[in-house]
Amino acid sequence: MSRIGKKPITVPGNVKVAISGQAVTITGPKTNLTINVDPDVKVTWAESEKAIRLAIDDSKKEDRFVRARWGTSRALINNAIKGVTDGYEKTMEVVGVGWTAAIQGKKLKLVVGFANAIMLDIPAGLDVAVDKQFVKVRGADRQKVGQFAAEMRALRKPEPYNGKGIKYQTETIKKKQGKQFGA
């Protein structure tokens, strides 16, 4: 049994849920998101409890992949409910002398020590704001927010000797001592 999958998902009063087949559409104050649930997972709406319940067929309870998708489906729906009510945010920090970030139209311009500036397209549904060396990525879809932040970080990973690079604000970089000269 999936310990996560069998828990009901409580839905706040300002969120509307529509289930059609395997597609669950969640509409909240910020936006609406659609989650496609695995075909082995059955989604039901309990109006009396104001909750979403997920279940799998009794014959498939021994299949570990079905149980894993059961818990994953529940987590995705729960994340979508949190996304349409509160939203998700990641703060990135650009560390380096002369390294900057700026918004130009629908693109994020990063000057991070290469000969040319890097232009990143901002995906639809995300709000990106730049404040000096901090870049805030906000959105309702947790996967999009995390993916954009990871793509930013991958352009110039923090290096352990000087600590330069693009990193998450909460990330700690372990500094290494450089080479020793002379005795």
Side-chain angles (χ1 to χ4, degrees), residues 30 45 78 169:
K30 291 192 179 279
W45 168 250
N78 195 35
Q169 186 180 16

Side-chain angles (χ1 to χ4, degrees), residues 52-119:
I52 299 172
R53 291 193 174 274
L54 283 81
I56 58 173
D57 195 15
D58 287 336
S59 64
K60 296 185 179 181
K61 288 198 176 184
E62 296 302 317
D63 188 357
R64 57 187 289 227
F65 296 110
V66 173
R67 288 194 320 261
R69 292 192 302 261
W70 183 19
T72 301
S73 298
R74 188 225 182 254
L76 290 174
I77 293 171
N78 195 35
N79 289 342
I81 289 172
K82 184 179 182 292
V84 298
T85 54
D86 302 330
Y88 289 97
E89 178 179 317
K90 295 241 184 218
T91 304
M92 307 297 290
E93 186 176 0
V94 179
V95 181
V97 177
W99 291 16
T100 59
I103 303 286
Q104 286 187 349
K106 299 245 180 218
K107 294 182 182 255
L108 176 67
K109 179 182 177 184
L110 295 169
V111 178
V112 287
F114 294 122
N116 298 321
I118 299 171
M119 302 297 278

